[in-house]
Amino acid sequence: MSKDWPELSDIRATQALLAPHLVRTPTIAWSSPTLARLLGDQAKLFLKLELFQITGTFKARGALTRALSLSPEQRARGITAVSAGNHAIAAAFAAKAINAPAKIVVLKTANPLRLAMARDLGADIRIAEDGAEGFAIADRLVKEEGLTFIHPFDGPNVALGTGTLGAEIADDVPDLDAVVVAVGGGGLASGMARAIKLLQPNCKVYGVEPVGAPSMRRSFDQGAPVKLDRIDTIADSLAPPMSLPFSFELARAHMDDIVLVEDDAMCAAMAVLQAEAKLAVEPAAAAATAAAMGPLRDRLAGKRVCFVVCGANIDTETYGRLLERGRRTLSAIPA
């Protein structure tokens, strides 16, 4: 066991630390006709509504946990981060919360809504062509200006922050059989899984990745973090090009499996969540539901299951296009 893995006392202390700044998002029972048909009437389903978190995603938990750990001197110099969008918003929010300047590198492919949200929070935005250039720019800012780098998905502070989400689920819903969560770099899934296993050790934790960005699945298969040569998915929040040691080891020790879903399946799940939960979500937030409709169907049938709805930062044009794609996909599935 790594000495840096959060213990339950650390997660509880982080909950208290974050409480004045963040929302304790609700976990609600979900009655879904589609999922009842697929998983059976005996299944009891719950949604962790993290899309209602400040900044619109879970990312605020890890970013703020790191920011609150900075010394006065570090706060005065400021922070930097690299992001496809959601972490940029969270890092900008965290910097504002501690009254620190933020120079954040955002990939040019970022959703324009996310870019605008980060700027509205006061961040000085730098645009990068790709992830490699983004990390190079951030590295220069750290070395030349003394900024503190807030990592998007790896490290003890991220796990502490996302562990608070897992603790909330475990506290809200006793005796769960499974929690299903989307996986990008693994920051959410690994910290959340750690808390779930500490509080409900018999609960399974299943991760879900896009077929076109399976970095953690491949890392599990190879027994070490891997870097992807190619990424092809609509779920940009789930598309970092690699996994990293801390989140990989924490995830491998606490997650029961990682399954893959197609982009069409995420779109179909977006349509189900819109119609049957009245939630407008980004593709990553629909991945857990997509897995229940596909690769996890047999394992979740008749079970008490919580799906993490991890975020909803998506512009209306893109949302409408993906929602229509999802409706077409659903219409092609036999009743």
Side-chain angles (χ1 to χ4, degrees), residues 210-320:
V211 167
S215 61
M216 193 63 77
R217 177 66 267 171
R218 290 188 185 175
S219 298
F220 274 31
D221 292 341
Q222 296 188 24
V226 303
K227 184 174 182 179
L228 299 177
D229 296 325
R230 182 173 178 270
I231 293 170
D232 182 14
T233 179
I234 58 171
D236 53 352
S237 303
L238 305 181
M242 72 293 205
S243 60
L244 292 174
F246 184 91
S247 52
F248 163 70
E249 293 291 352
L250 190 60
R252 183 169 64 164
H254 295 87
M255 300 185 72
D256 294 274
D257 199 4
I258 293 177
V259 300
L260 304 180
V261 294
E262 299 280 357
D263 283 2
D264 276 349
M266 285 186 282
C267 290
M270 288 172 67
V272 170
L273 286 163
Q274 190 277 329
E276 300 178 7
K278 310 309 176 190
L279 298 175
V281 304
E282 61 184 89
T289 301
M293 295 165 62
L296 289 177
R297 178 178 173 179
D298 290 343
R299 281 182 272 183
L300 300 181
K303 304 296 187 181
R304 287 171 61 84
V305 184
C306 182
F307 304 106
V308 180
V309 186
C310 55
N313 289 333
I314 187 169
D315 66 281
T316 54
E317 181 180 355
T318 303
Y319 177 73

Side-chain angles (χ1 to χ4, degrees), residues 59-325:
K59 289 283 190 180
R61 295 177 185 260
L64 187 58
T65 300
R66 179 70 179 105
L68 289 171
S69 74
L70 300 185
S71 68
E73 294 77 13
Q74 289 172 316
R75 295 184 187 199
R77 288 193 294 270
I79 65 99
T80 186
V82 179
S83 175
N86 280 332
H87 181 59
I89 303 165
F93 162 76
K96 187 174 183 179
I98 63 169
N99 196 31
K103 294 182 179 180
I104 298 175
V105 187
V106 179
L107 307 190
K108 70 174 185 179
T109 54
N111 187 288
L113 173 70
R114 298 176 187 173
L115 191 61
M117 290 174 68
R119 284 193 169 121
D120 286 346
L121 286 165
D124 177 357
I125 301 294
R126 314 292 172 89
I127 303 296
E129 286 292 315
D130 53 30
E133 182 184 29
F135 279 97
I137 293 171
D139 187 57
R140 286 199 301 272
L141 290 170
V142 170
K143 291 177 178 176
E144 296 173 6
E145 300 184 26
L147 304 188
T148 296
F149 182 68
I150 296 185
H151 202 281
F153 60 82
D154 198 57
N157 284 285
V158 174
L160 278 171
T162 59
T164 65
L165 185 150
E168 289 173 12
I169 292 172
D171 290 344
D172 287 346
V173 189
D175 301 321
L176 280 166
D177 294 306
V179 177
V180 188
V181 60
V183 179
L188 169 60
S190 61
M192 186 212 73
R194 171 70 171 170
I196 292 290
K197 293 295 187 178
L198 288 170
L199 288 163
Q200 294 193 30
N202 294 324
C203 178
K204 301 290 188 183
V205 180
Y206 298 117
V208 188
E209 284 187 307
V211 167
S215 61
M216 193 63 77
R217 177 66 267 171
R218 290 188 185 175
S219 298
F220 274 31
D221 292 341
Q222 296 188 24
V226 303
K227 184 174 182 179
L228 299 177
D229 296 325
R230 182 173 178 270
I231 293 170
D232 182 14
T233 179
I234 58 171
D236 53 352
S237 303
L238 305 181
M242 72 293 205
S243 60
L244 292 174
F246 184 91
S247 52
F248 163 70
E249 293 291 352
L250 190 60
R252 183 169 64 164
H254 295 87
M255 300 185 72
D256 294 274
D257 199 4
I258 293 177
V259 300
L260 304 180
V261 294
E262 299 280 357
D263 283 2
D264 276 349
M266 285 186 282
C267 290
M270 288 172 67
V272 170
L273 286 163
Q274 190 277 329
E276 300 178 7
K278 310 309 176 190
L279 298 175
V281 304
E282 61 184 89
T289 301
M293 295 165 62
L296 289 177
R297 178 178 173 179
D298 290 343
R299 281 182 272 183
L300 300 181
K303 304 296 187 181
R304 287 171 61 84
V305 184
C306 182
F307 304 106
V308 180
V309 186
C310 55
N313 289 333
I314 187 169
D315 66 281
T316 54
E317 181 180 355
T318 303
Y319 177 73
R321 175 167 45 81
L322 297 180
L323 185 64
E324 182 56 34
R325 178 176 170 181

